[in-house]
Amino acid sequence: MTEHPTATWEAMQDGNTFYRRQQLYSVTGKFPNLGDYVVAGSVMRDNSKVVAVAGPGRTATPLTRSQIQIYSPAGECLLSFSWDQGRIIRFGWTADERLVVVNEEGVYRLYDLQGDYQQHSLGNEAAEVGLIDARIQDNGLVAMTGAISLLEVKGWEGGRPLTLAIPGLAEPPHVWSVIPPDVNISRHVEVLLSVDSTILSVDNLEVADQRISRGPFTHISPSPNGKALALLTFSGLLWAVSTDFQRSMAEFDTNTIQAEGPVRQVEWCGNDAILVTWDTVVVLVGPYGDTLKFFHSGPTFAVTESDGVRIMGPDVCDMVQKVPKSSLSIFRPGSTTPSAILYNAWESFTQRSPKADESIRNIRPDLGTAVDECIDAAGQEWEPYWQRQLLNAAKFGRGFLDLYNPTDFVNMGQTLKVLNAVRFYEIGIPLTYSQYIYASPAQLVKRLTSRNHHLLALRISSFLSLKPDSVLKHWATAKILRSRPTTTGTGKDAELSGDDEVCKLIVQKFEQLGGDVVSYADIAKKAWEAGRSGLATKLLEHDTKASDQVPLLLTMKEDRLALEKAVDSGDTDLVYHVLLHLHKRLTIGDFFRLIESGGPELASASRLLEVYAREQNREMLRDFYYSDDRWVESAVLSLDEAARLKDQNSRVAAVKAAQKFFSDDKDHAFEARMMEESVRLLMLQQQLEKETDGKVGFFGTSVNETIRLCILNGLSKRADKVKSDFKVPDKRFWYLKLYALTTLGDFEALEVFSKSKRSPIGYEVFVRHLVDTGHAREAVAYVTRCDGPRRAEMYILCGEWRLAGSTCKERGDKKGLEDLRKRAPNSMVARELDQILVGMK
């Protein structure tokens, strides 16, 4: 039968404070002799492992001298690897269960439990002067250089170290320790240095002398909550004091223990007791100097936890902690608390004793509190038998309550099932209930996956209704790393066969367990990093998000597939991302061939490339058109560039290039001829500008405008030459010259021009244009050259009503004259028209 919980209790001298020593695992012969090794225990809230490494100056076998070995508290070896990177000065654990190893050259590595690592450096200063020591915390480290300066690293991303205030010491301190920022009131790291008889407090701003005279000290140990310090002097005096050194809490002379050898460790048991260890003796010092003594058969190693202290010895792994209040209330001999009475009532009930009913009636007002305390006590017990007993007692008491929320009872049952599973020696994670609550179930699942306990992690996730994504992702990664292609063929065929099998297994597992949120791209990336590019490509086929597929395909240099996936997604930004990446990485020829060979599937990518290049990189667009023999588009692009150019020679060259592109396409011979004429025109315009000393801007104007400018600037012969060279029709030329001479006001030249030959545009145009431009008097001279029926109307347009009437009389057009009479603008004109009209009678 399982021993009673009180069998592991031991009382302090005051008789009111109890501590229990719970054996977690039997580890006889599993750990190496800890006295021969430098040992570091994890300092996380769910402390779950210990690491041992051979230390210089200690007795160690040649095999282990260059090896780091990681063990679980149950003595199971989790990982072992060689170290050849110089002398180790310190190693410890991060909050996410990675081992940090720091060497004397300022280089530190972070190892996960698979043996993979990341390497970072503390910078040039650390490399030059070297490191002499370091302290590792959950989320950073503090290193002491050979120049006795302190470097702080925040986080584990390889950030630049921060130099703390210079302590100004000529030699290293006797001992030093660090108060982490998460428990320090200032929220900054604080370093405590034992110098002579005092303590120096160093942070990033200043060095403060605490002005105490009890030193020097051999050990400095901060409590888990950062509110107290345990200091051990060279004379053997243990002193507990607040971190501000204003309140002395307890003192104890360790010489009274009469243990052999020096003190090995000073650690905290929770926040209210201090553990002092020698080679074979462990002493627990209570708040008032009371002590408990434990013996071991060899050297031990202790790790402080938030609610106790874990001790690894040659034979056992123990957990020493203060007996929880709920357990003390129920199991303390002679206890009369409601919870103790409820538990006794349950035992009476199981024995069919009538005392059960009487006990329940006695505690009826406090029955709800008693039930809650039994539930909490069940969580504090390690043995499943006593967990069930306490939960049964709570269940028994709950039956007498009219209203009771069973949530806590159900949650505790689930929690204990999880805790018992992970405490099993093959798993080796001895979590307490309070540590589990602090760390959260998701964090526990993460710890299990890091140890490759995927099945248990999945079952716990399912049991607690947690998403299994992280577990499945880690499992798939481990499966890829451990699998090998099957030997069904040779060379590449064998590898493909293995890839198909692994891919099918991963997809089936994801679909079966609902890992639909897991990105196949993440798994594929791991496969590619492991040299399984074929498997990575197959896994990506099952990913539904192109935004996840494409970046990895580009990394894998699967350029065609990446571009196809981007186009199929319909995401223009993603297509642009692929195009720009490929343009940067590939040669220009390979880049264009990739797009051109895509056919209709990559047509949209080709169009998007054109849009982008037209706005951002016209040189690339020119090359793209040229490589694809797209002569028309090349010509249009040259013309567009010509329109943007300011330099005349460059513009002529651009138009010539357009002419060449059009001439290369037999279907665009007309456009080629037009470009040839454009070049001739531009060159002629350049010549005209030289003749006018650049005073007239001919370049870039049309043929019509060139003729007009020649006439306006007295270059009539040049205008005639332009007309003949570019085959300007007579009608257009006469219009241009009419408008130009009118603008100049050179009516004599206009008269000469009008008589040079019969006007192809008639003379009515002359009359109307002159009238429109305010030259009605000059327009009268051209009316007589107009057609007879239109002369009267032209005279009216010029304001010559009398001449209009005379014209009607000469033509015998009495009706027309009568119409003019009706339209007469005033009486004077009317009388004149009447006189003409009378003369016709």
Side-chain angles (χ1 to χ4, degrees):
M1 180 178 176
T2 305
E3 63 181 9
H4 195 271
T6 57
T8 61
W9 293 11
E10 292 193 33
M12 287 288 188
Q13 283 82 346
D14 61 1
N16 296 318
T17 306
F18 292 83
Y19 284 83
R20 63 183 180 187
R21 179 187 180 185
Q22 181 72 45
Q23 179 177 328
L24 305 179
Y25 304 105
S26 175
V27 294
T28 304
K30 294 184 177 181
F31 284 140
N33 185 354
L34 299 180
D36 295 336
Y37 288 79
V38 175
V39 184
S42 63
V43 291
M44 295 171 295
R45 300 299 184 232
D46 63 335
N47 301 288
S48 50
K49 58 191 171 302
V50 58
V51 61
V53 60
R58 306 284 184 92
T59 303
T61 63
L63 176 64
T64 61
R65 183 177 298 277
S66 60
Q67 283 190 333
I68 295 178
Q69 304 167 30
I70 300 177
Y71 293 89
S72 73
E76 301 296 325
C77 185
L78 302 179
L79 180 66
S80 177
F81 57 91
S82 299
W83 176 265
D84 57 358
Q85 298 298 313
R87 187 173 67 88
I88 297 174
I89 62 165
R90 183 69 61 172
F91 58 101
W93 294 96
T94 68
D96 57 355
E97 260 192 351
R98 288 184 292 172
L99 177 65
V100 184
V101 185
V102 186
N103 71 10
E104 61 183 351
E105 297 173 355
V107 175
Y108 63 98
R109 286 183 176 180
L110 292 93
Y111 287 87
D112 61 20
L113 293 182
Q114 313 305 316
D116 299 326
Y117 67 87
Q118 298 174 347
Q119 181 168 304
H120 305 291
S121 173
L122 292 176
N124 294 332
E125 178 186 354
E128 291 174 1
V129 301
L131 301 183
I132 59 176
D133 204 356
R135 295 292 183 269
I136 297 168
Q137 318 156 49
D138 287 356
N139 298 300
L141 65 85
V142 177
M144 181 178 293
T145 69
I148 319 299
S149 62
L150 298 169
L151 303 177
E152 179 194 5
V153 174
K154 296 181 179 180
W156 301 110
E157 293 77 30
R160 185 176 181 180
L162 171 68
T163 302
L164 301 183
I166 304 299
L169 302 180
E171 57 183 17
H174 301 290
V175 68
W176 63 293
S177 187
V178 172
I179 301 178
D182 58 334
V183 297
N184 196 3
I185 191 172
S186 67
R187 293 303 172 189
H188 295 287
V189 69
E190 182 177 357
V191 182
L192 303 176
L193 308 175
S194 174
V195 179
D196 297 330
S197 62
T198 187
I199 295 285
L200 298 182
S201 176
V202 182
D203 58 18
N204 57 339
L205 296 178
E206 62 178 356
V207 178
D209 188 346
Q210 299 300 329
R211 300 188 182 281
I212 59 176
S213 58
R214 294 196 173 195
F217 302 98
T218 61
H219 293 79
I220 301 177
S221 178
S223 62
N225 60 12
K227 295 181 179 180
L229 297 173
L231 307 173
L232 183 66
T233 68
F234 275 84
S235 62
L237 179 65
L238 180 65
W239 180 33
V241 63
S242 61
T243 51
D244 58 4
F245 296 91
Q246 300 299 311
R247 184 166 59 94
S248 180
M249 299 176 177
E251 294 182 13
F252 176 73
D253 186 1
T254 59
N255 294 318
T256 59
I257 301 300
Q258 297 181 352
E260 296 181 0
V263 172
R264 291 175 56 88
Q265 286 181 272
V266 175
E267 300 290 338
W268 282 84
C269 178
N271 291 295
D272 50 11
I274 301 171
L275 190 81
V276 183
T277 69
W278 287 263
D279 282 340
T280 58
V281 179
V282 175
V283 174
L284 186 68
V285 182
Y288 303 104
D290 298 333
T291 60
L292 292 175
K293 187 180 296 186
F294 308 106
F295 294 93
H296 290 267
S297 61
T300 61
F301 181 76
V303 180
T304 296
E305 301 193 8
S306 58
D307 55 352
V309 61
R310 184 159 38 91
I311 305 172
M312 273 69 67
D315 304 317
V316 293
C317 176
D318 291 337
M319 177 74 171
V320 177
Q321 64 178 167
K322 188 176 181 179
V323 176
K325 182 179 178 181
S326 56
S327 298
L328 189 64
S329 176
I330 295 172
F331 294 119
R332 182 173 181 174
S335 176
T336 58
T337 61
S339 56
I341 294 174
L342 174 59
Y343 183 78
N344 290 333
W346 157 248
E347 288 187 327
S348 299
F349 176 75
T350 58
Q351 297 170 6
R352 301 179 179 274
S353 171
K355 291 183 180 180
D357 182 63
E358 181 182 355
S359 299
I360 292 296
R361 285 198 302 270
N362 290 337
I363 61 170
R364 191 61 181 264
D366 301 314
L367 187 56
T369 303
V371 170
D372 291 338
E373 202 157 29
C374 285
I375 294 174
D376 182 73
Q380 305 298 338
E381 292 299 320
W382 286 81
E383 292 296 335
Y385 172 82
W386 293 106
Q387 294 169 1
R388 287 192 296 269
Q389 289 291 94
L390 289 164
L391 287 178
N392 283 332
K395 182 180 179 181
F396 174 70
R398 194 184 68 181
F400 294 94
L401 295 173
D402 296 330
L403 295 174
Y404 185 80
N405 186 349
T407 302
D408 291 341
F409 180 85
V410 174
N411 289 341
M412 182 59 74
Q414 290 182 332
T415 299
L416 289 175
K417 192 169 184 179
V418 171
L419 289 177
N420 291 334
V422 300
R423 289 170 180 171
F424 189 62
Y425 76 93
E426 291 184 351
I427 306 300
I429 303 181
L431 275 180
T432 64
Y433 175 71
S434 62
Q435 291 170 358
Y436 173 79
I437 297 301
Y438 181 92
S440 79
Q443 194 72 5
L444 175 59
V445 170
K446 184 178 179 181
R447 296 291 187 263
L448 290 170
T449 56
S450 68
R451 292 167 172 76
N452 290 328
H453 294 305
H454 301 110
L455 179 60
L456 179 59
L458 283 172
R459 287 178 175 175
I460 290 178
S461 298
S462 175
F463 183 65
L464 299 178
S465 300
L466 300 176
K467 290 184 177 181
D469 305 335
S470 60
V471 183
L472 291 173
K473 180 178 177 180
H474 194 279
W475 167 81
T477 302
K479 187 70 176 176
I480 291 170
L481 296 176
R482 293 180 180 180
S483 65
R484 292 292 183 271
T486 57
T487 55
T488 56
T490 59
K492 187 176 180 181
D493 293 336
E495 184 175 352
L496 290 176
S497 176
D499 290 347
D500 288 336
E501 182 180 347
V502 175
C503 180
K504 182 179 179 180
L505 182 62
I506 291 174
V507 172
Q508 287 179 345
K509 187 69 70 173
F510 280 17
E511 292 176 351
Q512 175 186 353
L513 298 176
D516 51 344
V517 185
V518 179
S519 172
Y520 282 94
D522 295 337
I523 310 302
K525 184 177 181 181
K526 295 292 185 182
W528 180 73
E529 291 173 351
R532 307 281 292 277
S533 57
L535 176 58
T537 304
K538 295 178 186 299
L539 287 170
L540 282 176
E541 292 296 329
H542 297 277
D543 203 306
T544 58
K545 294 182 180 179
S547 58
D548 292 336
Q549 293 175 310
V550 168
L552 181 57
L553 287 171
L554 290 176
T555 304
M556 297 166 56
K557 298 185 179 180
E558 295 285 348
D559 302 332
R560 173 70 178 273
L561 186 56
L563 190 55
E564 289 178 353
K565 293 291 184 183
V567 170
D568 293 342
S569 71
D571 186 344
T572 55
D573 290 339
L574 189 59
V575 176
Y576 277 131
H577 171 74
V578 176
L579 290 173
L580 294 177
H581 177 86
L582 296 179
H583 178 254
K584 183 177 181 181
R585 185 169 61 81
L586 300 177
T587 63
I588 195 70
D590 292 340
F591 175 58
F592 290 149
R593 276 193 294 273
L594 175 65
I595 297 175
E596 294 161 5
S597 63
E601 294 180 356
L602 299 182
S604 60
S606 177
R607 290 191 292 270
L608 287 173
L609 178 63
E610 291 184 47
V611 173
Y612 166 80
R614 190 175 300 278
E615 297 295 330
Q616 303 291 336
N617 191 341
R618 302 179 74 86
E619 186 68 28
M620 180 175 71
L621 184 61
R622 184 186 300 109
D623 294 339
F624 178 59
Y625 286 155
Y626 185 81
S627 68
D628 199 22
D629 295 339
R630 295 166 66 171
W631 309 122
V632 176
E633 288 86 347
S634 298
V636 173
L637 180 62
S638 295
L639 289 177
D640 186 46
E641 291 179 350
R644 299 167 182 261
L645 294 172
K646 301 298 182 183
D647 181 70
Q648 294 182 0
N649 294 329
S650 299
R651 187 181 295 188
V652 172
V655 177
K656 286 182 178 179
Q659 185 268 333
K660 183 180 183 305
F661 287 133
F662 278 128
S663 65
D664 289 339
D665 192 330
K666 296 179 180 179
D667 296 333
H668 292 82
F670 171 76
E671 287 84 351
R673 289 195 300 271
M674 292 301 100
M675 292 302 101
E676 185 177 356
E677 290 192 3
S678 296
V679 173
R680 288 172 43 223
L681 177 61
L682 290 173
M683 296 179 70
L684 175 62
Q685 290 170 342
Q686 284 182 307
Q687 185 177 353
L688 290 172
E689 286 192 356
K690 289 180 181 179
E691 293 177 2
T692 58
D693 297 329
K695 296 179 180 179
V696 182
F698 287 96
F699 193 81
T701 59
S702 64
V703 172
N704 291 355
E705 182 65 12
T706 301
I707 293 174
R708 191 183 77 86
L709 290 174
C710 286
I711 296 171
L712 289 176
N713 291 277
L715 302 174
S716 298
K717 292 184 178 180
R718 282 294 191 181
D720 294 338
K721 181 172 176 55
V722 173
K723 173 183 178 298
S724 63
D725 288 349
F726 293 94
K727 300 178 182 180
V728 178
D730 285 345
K731 284 186 177 182
R732 188 194 308 172
F733 182 77
W734 273 69
Y735 273 113
L736 291 171
K737 196 161 187 176
L738 167 64
Y739 294 162
L741 292 175
T742 303
T743 301
L744 285 174
D746 191 351
F747 300 110
E748 293 181 3
L750 183 61
E751 178 70 17
V752 173
F753 172 63
S754 66
K755 294 178 179 179
S756 62
K757 69 176 185 177
R758 181 177 180 80
S759 171
I761 60 175
Y763 292 97
E764 185 177 333
V765 175
F766 281 71
V767 176
R768 289 185 180 278
H769 180 67
L770 288 170
V771 171
D772 290 343
T773 56
H775 303 291
R777 181 178 299 178
E778 287 77 8
V780 173
Y782 297 95
V783 175
T784 56
R785 301 182 194 178
C786 296
D787 294 339
R790 297 291 300 164
R791 288 176 186 170
E793 194 66 32
M794 292 298 100
Y795 276 126
I796 292 174
L797 192 64
C798 296
E800 297 293 338
W801 290 83
R802 193 173 186 283
L803 292 176
S806 298
T807 300
C808 290
K809 181 179 178 180
E810 291 175 358
R811 296 183 68 249
D813 187 1
K814 185 177 181 180
K815 184 178 179 181
L817 186 59
E818 289 176 351
D819 289 340
L820 289 178
R821 171 66 182 78
K822 293 177 182 179
R823 292 162 53 192
N826 52 55
S827 58
M828 183 179 295
V829 172
R831 283 195 301 271
E832 291 180 352
L833 294 176
D834 286 341
Q835 292 175 359
I836 296 173
L837 187 61
V838 170
M840 288 186 67
K841 296 178 179 179

